[in-house]
Amino acid sequence: PSMTRGITKEVSKVSWDDIGGLKDLKKKLQQAVEWPIKHADSFARLGISPVRGVLLHGPPGCSKTTLAKAAANAAQASFFSLSGAELYSKYVGEGEALLRRTFQKARLAAPSIVFFDEADAIAPKRGHGGSSGGNVSVGERLLSTLLTEMDGLELATGIIVLAATNRPHVLDAALMRPGRFDLVLYVPPPDAEGRHEILGIHTRHMKLGEDVDLRKVAESTDHFTGADLEGLCREAGMVALREDMSADSVCNRHFQTARDSLRPSLTKSMIE
Ligand code: ATP
């Protein structure tokens, strides 16, 4: 594979079942992303134009990237990813060039999903924030390149753009016009039920002691993100190994110790 991020076509192996909770959200993404690609003929028959862009917003570590990959995998689409922050930091003109090249590759490899992480960095609100002249114009040029590319996505090309941000309010209103990011979905932090499912997923391949009650662990991990819970499972395993390198299972006390050593990433103010 090529070394340049954004141009590399990634093969996504993540499935919907690898994502805990978020049942309704997964259904909405299936219909918005998977259906138009898998059932393009039905959309054409009824004359429905699929959404071209979906904006995922919500706190970090709560599976926005994973959802985009799962959607691509389920639709058997090629997956291209771009980071807004990375584009923004490039030399003048290089970010736009990378954007255009990525869309070109996506068209050639269609059906494709183009995923923009940290979209707020690509599309800073015009005149928003205190950044000085030069930076504003970088953002504006990237934004206008993105808008041009999105406007050029024709009905039949089978390309859907998924963007992710923690700060939806900074996005330019131009991105929300019809034919661009028509669908805006909030990806919330997991509730106890969701955390239980996420813990189940990340302990799938772990040897658990009989005294482990993942529901209890879920209840004691308020404000933990999916990423935090993944870390918790790994840490519980490490605690068991530190105690005894020949341990044959990870027990409740290991989860307890791990839980007590970790702090959740989310604070009340981060939850929209
Ligand atoms: P960021 O905004 O920081 O990019 P994100 O919302 O895109 O974060 P991901 O990168 O998708 O989050 O998630 C980080 C990790 O946390 C993933 O590798 C995944 O394993 C785990 N994770 C997060 N949410 C879930 C979930 N609902 N179910 C299972 N795993 C999850």
Side-chain angles (χ1 to χ4, degrees), residues 17-22 58-68 115 117-118 164-166 187-188 190 194 197-199 201-202 225-231:
D17 292 339
D18 296 322
I19 300 167
L22 305 174
C62 293
S63 81
K64 295 183 294 298
T65 307
T66 314
L67 284 163
F115 177 64
D117 206 359
E118 302 176 89
T165 179
N166 308 322
V187 185
E197 282 184 39
I198 295 169
L199 288 164
I201 289 165
H202 291 289
T225 64
D228 292 340
L229 294 167
E230 185 179 12

Side-chain angles (χ1 to χ4, degrees), residues 41-56:
D41 48 343
S42 304
F43 279 71
R45 191 173 60 244
L46 295 189
I48 309 172
S49 44
V51 298
R52 276 182 253 181
V54 181
L55 179 71
L56 302 172

Side-chain angles (χ1 to χ4, degrees), residues 21-270:
L22 305 174
K23 212 167 149 220
D24 292 340
L25 189 82
K26 288 196 264 185
K27 201 175 281 169
K28 283 185 186 147
L29 276 174
Q30 270 167 338
Q31 297 180 6
V33 181
E34 201 180 323
W35 283 10
I37 292 176
K38 277 175 111 167
H39 308 290
D41 48 343
S42 304
F43 279 71
R45 191 173 60 244
L46 295 189
I48 309 172
S49 44
V51 298
R52 276 182 253 181
V54 181
L55 179 71
L56 302 172
H57 67 100
C62 293
S63 81
K64 295 183 294 298
T65 307
T66 314
L67 284 163
K69 288 185 173 172
N73 193 30
Q76 293 180 287
S78 312
F79 185 78
F80 295 86
S81 90
L82 281 165
S83 148
E86 204 177 306
L87 289 180
Y88 197 77
S89 70
K90 288 197 176 293
Y91 285 114
V92 180
E94 278 187 13
E96 292 102 287
L98 180 58
L99 246 172
R100 279 195 296 266
R101 273 205 310 278
T102 302
F103 273 89
Q104 194 180 2
K105 293 245 172 185
R107 278 193 292 272
L108 288 172
S112 301
I113 304 287
V114 177
F115 177 64
F116 278 103
D117 206 359
E118 302 176 89
D120 46 281
I122 306 184
K125 209 173 197 168
R126 287 163 216 247
H128 186 274
S131 49
S132 59
N135 287 339
V136 170
S137 64
V138 171
E140 285 191 6
R141 277 212 302 273
L142 284 169
L143 174 61
S144 86
T145 306
L146 174 63
L147 294 178
T148 307
E149 291 295 337
M150 287 195 74
D151 290 345
L153 294 181
E154 313 234 316
L155 221 153
T157 54
I159 300 175
I160 298 176
V161 182
L162 263 63
T165 179
N166 308 322
R167 305 185 303 154
H169 47 281
V170 260
L171 291 182
D172 195 282
L175 282 169
M176 304 306 171
R177 297 231 181 88
R180 290 166 182 172
F181 291 98
D182 312 279
L183 184 63
V184 178
L185 298 174
Y186 174 55
V187 185
D191 57 11
E193 182 70 37
R195 292 195 297 272
H196 184 225
E197 282 184 39
I198 295 169
L199 288 164
I201 289 165
H202 291 289
T203 53
R204 245 182 336 213
H205 304 295
M206 283 170 71
K207 198 90 196 282
L208 296 185
E210 288 195 347
D211 63 349
V212 176
D213 183 348
L214 292 180
R215 194 166 288 282
K216 287 234 170 69
V217 180
E219 276 157 16
S220 72
T221 45
D222 212 19
H223 291 140
F224 273 57
T225 64
D228 292 340
L229 294 167
E230 185 179 12
L232 171 67
C233 294
R234 185 181 313 111
E235 182 56 18
M238 295 301 289
V239 171
L241 290 182
R242 275 179 220 127
E243 187 184 283
D244 177 3
M245 195 45 89
S246 51
D248 54 17
S249 62
V250 183
C251 302
N252 181 46
R253 65 176 185 285
H254 305 132
F255 275 92
Q256 292 294 335
T257 307
R259 164 68 189 88
D260 293 340
S261 72
L262 298 172
R263 291 279 155 272
S265 322
L266 297 175
T267 57
K268 245 200 172 100
S269 68
M270 292 165 78

